[in-house]
Amino acid sequence: TTLSADGTAGVRRRYDDAGNELETAWLGVDGGRVVAKDGCAALRRKFDGRGLLTEEVCLGGDDRPCPNASGYAIRRATYDERGNQIGETYFDGEAQPTTHVEGYAGWRVVLDERGRVLEKIHLDADGRPVADRTGVARSTHVFDARGNEIELAFFGEDGAPVLAADGCARWT
């Protein structure tokens, strides 16, 4: 048997009646679960009545929540009335808020009527703005009448402009 790049020999998937993938398990050469490179032996998912992914849990070889390579065990998503994802939060194996490797415990966005992101804010465990590993806590986006992004700006925890990873605080 040949192993894939993530060190597994196979994958087993389980779906609900609507076709949502409820669980993905990575398998070893013996057919049992093995921990893949991302730190999970399996992913277990929950969906809402609209079929939107609301929770994903990384499970270890013992079938208990464990941190993945991004530093969290549980990821929860929130959506607006149109089904656009507007937030995400991260938790440890005990369902307590935790920090993603990028430096925040969650994020939320403000969307326009077309579903475009106007503002994205990284949040700490208490829901306050926090800088990611590049120093950006909030970004704002401006679009013209045709939907072209014409401005992108980056701000720190104090609301002051900061340089993003590309060295710009704002581009137009």
Side-chain angles (χ1 to χ4, degrees), residues 71-72 74 76 89-100 104-106 123-127:
Y72 61 87
I74 302 167
R76 294 186 181 140
T89 50
Y90 308 104
F91 301 89
D92 65 17
E94 303 296 319
Q96 297 300 309
T98 195
T99 303
H100 188 287
Y104 45 87
L123 304 168
D124 68 13
D126 294 319

Side-chain angles (χ1 to χ4, degrees), residues 64-136:
R64 295 172 41 106
C66 69
N68 62 21
S70 293
Y72 61 87
I74 302 167
R75 177 176 61 94
R76 294 186 181 140
T78 55
Y79 300 86
D80 67 13
E81 63 282 348
R82 295 185 197 127
N84 297 306
Q85 187 175 354
I86 58 170
E88 193 163 279
T89 50
Y90 308 104
F91 301 89
D92 65 17
E94 303 296 319
Q96 297 300 309
T98 195
T99 303
H100 188 287
V101 294
E102 294 296 322
Y104 45 87
W107 55 263
R108 72 172 185 259
V109 294
V110 174
L111 306 175
D112 68 8
E113 67 282 349
R114 292 184 177 175
R116 296 175 300 207
V117 175
L118 298 177
E119 178 180 61
K120 183 174 183 179
I121 303 170
H122 299 122
L123 304 168
D124 68 13
D126 294 319
R128 294 183 305 252
V130 66
D132 67 9
R133 66 178 177 79
T134 68
V136 175

